[in-house]
């Protein structure tokens, strides 16, 4: 009985070795796509979703800004909507030119600017009896959960501003002067909103402080996208991974460079 079991085990082991030797080496003879060689949104649906998201954000924010009677008193919301529309229109232009990096960054910039305008407009609506035309609830005294949230959002906005400021001098020659000026203008607006949020929080108005802080954070991200578009195109900054994409495995020893074109080359999406 023991001899029969031993024979079965030896035969099974030999078969496993044969199967293993028959499998091709995943690191030999091929190389995964270089993440620098292709834009992050490498599929038709990804690029279409980026533009569609920017379009939806623009329309939603425009409706809220129109519903707000005082959100445009300082011109911030209107300026943000104008900037967002310009970024969206340029994204469409870059799409026609097959500039997928430009499409992604410009669509993200438009989405962030729309998000900032939406936060300010919604804050103004709720601060003036709201769309339902009812009285607001009384403010709670002392440190509340809203105050903690506003403080966190103010800190997050400050970190975003600092990150963009620190990176603005990095390889600035790759960014056109006009874009650099616009990035600085967006950062100035973001800083002003963050400072206003701090003042509102000190005045025990945490909800409006949160709205200003969210807007400041979104504007800082928009400035980052406006700058990153050129840094990624110049190969100075790596493109972020595509949504849901797993990191590629490391190349095997002696792997040749990937062939030009092929299934990894992004194709233009259908016209929207």
């Amino acid at each position: 009985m023991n001899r029969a079991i031993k024979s079965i085990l030896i035969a099974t082991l030999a078969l496993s070795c044969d199967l293993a030797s028959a499998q091709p080496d995943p690191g030999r003879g091929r190389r995964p796509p270089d993440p620098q060689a292709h834009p992050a949104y490498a599929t038709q649906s990804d690029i279409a979703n980026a533009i569609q998201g920017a379009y939806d954000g623009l329309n939603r924010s425009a409706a809220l800004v129109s519903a707000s009677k005082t959100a445009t008193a300082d011109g911030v919301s209107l300026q943000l909507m104008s900037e967002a529309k310009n970024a969206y229109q340029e994204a469409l232009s870059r799409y026609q030119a097959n500039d997928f990096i430009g499409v992604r960054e410009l669509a993200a910039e438009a989405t962030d600017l729309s998000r900032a305008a939406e936060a300010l407009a919604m804050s103004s609506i709720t601060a003036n009896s709201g769309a339902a035309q009812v009285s607001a609830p009384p403010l709670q005294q002392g440190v509340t959960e809203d105050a903690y949230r506003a403080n966190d959002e103010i800190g997050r906005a400050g970190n975003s501003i600092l990150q963009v400021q620190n990176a603005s001098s990095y390889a600035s020659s790759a960014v056109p002067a006009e874009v650099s000026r616009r990035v600085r203008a967006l950062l100035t607006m973001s800083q002003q909103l963050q400072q206003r949020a701090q003042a509102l929080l000190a005045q025990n108005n945490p909800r409006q402080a949160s709205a200003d802080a969210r807007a400041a954070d979104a504007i800082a991200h928009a400035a980052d996208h406006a700058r990153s578009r050129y840094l990624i195109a110049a190969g100075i900054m790596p493109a972020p991974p595509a949504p849901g994409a797993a990191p590629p495995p490391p190349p095997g020893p002696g792997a040749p460079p990937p062939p030009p074109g092929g299934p990894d080359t992004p194709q233009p999406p259908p016209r929207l």
Side-chain angles (χ1 to χ4, degrees):
M1 187 67 178
N2 291 337
R3 184 178 301 174
I5 294 176
K6 184 177 180 180
S7 300
I8 294 174
L9 290 176
I10 292 175
T12 303
L13 180 60
L15 179 61
S16 300
C17 293
D18 291 340
L19 291 175
S21 62
Q23 297 296 323
D25 183 359
R28 188 183 301 276
R30 69 177 180 87
R31 184 179 179 183
D34 184 358
Q36 300 269 1
H38 305 295
Y41 291 88
T43 67
Q44 295 182 3
S45 62
D46 289 331
I47 291 192
N49 288 339
I51 300 179
Q52 185 68 49
Y55 175 81
D56 293 340
L58 272 171
N59 282 283
R60 183 175 57 251
S61 300
L64 284 172
V65 171
S66 298
S68 172
K69 296 180 180 179
T70 60
T72 59
D74 55 2
V76 175
S77 293
L78 283 180
Q79 182 179 351
L80 289 171
M81 289 302 300
S82 177
E83 294 270 4
K85 290 177 182 178
N86 290 340
Y88 174 77
Q89 293 295 341
E90 192 173 356
L92 293 180
S93 175
R94 290 294 84 205
Y95 167 73
Q96 296 296 334
N98 292 335
D99 177 9
F100 301 110
I101 293 175
V103 171
R104 183 200 61 232
E105 297 301 319
L106 287 164
E109 179 185 350
T111 300
D112 286 330
L113 292 171
S114 299
R115 189 159 51 92
E118 180 178 339
L120 295 176
M122 193 64 194
S123 174
S124 178
I125 291 173
T126 55
N128 292 274
S129 300
Q133 297 298 314
V134 296
S135 299
L139 289 175
Q140 301 180 30
Q141 299 300 319
V143 180
T144 64
E145 182 180 348
D146 288 340
Y148 281 115
R149 183 182 302 110
N151 188 64
D152 289 342
E153 289 170 337
I154 291 172
R156 186 179 305 114
N159 289 334
S160 298
I161 293 170
L162 285 176
Q163 288 178 3
V164 180
Q165 285 178 331
N166 293 336
S168 294
S169 59
Y170 177 69
S172 58
S173 60
V175 182
E178 180 182 354
V179 176
S180 295
R181 286 192 296 269
R182 190 159 65 88
V183 168
R184 288 194 296 269
L186 289 174
L187 285 177
T188 299
M189 185 188 302
S190 179
Q191 287 176 309
Q192 292 172 347
L193 285 171
Q194 191 217 16
Q195 292 169 0
R196 192 169 76 177
Q198 291 173 331
L200 287 168
L201 182 58
Q203 298 167 9
N204 196 26
N205 196 342
R207 293 195 173 183
Q208 288 194 27
S210 288
D212 281 7
R214 289 195 301 271
D217 186 57
I219 294 170
H221 280 86
D224 184 51
H225 286 297
R227 176 186 56 88
S228 298
R229 165 192 170 192
Y230 295 94
L231 297 181
I232 295 173
I236 299 172
M237 176 185 293
D264 294 314
T265 302
Q267 300 296 322
R271 295 189 62 179
L272 300 179

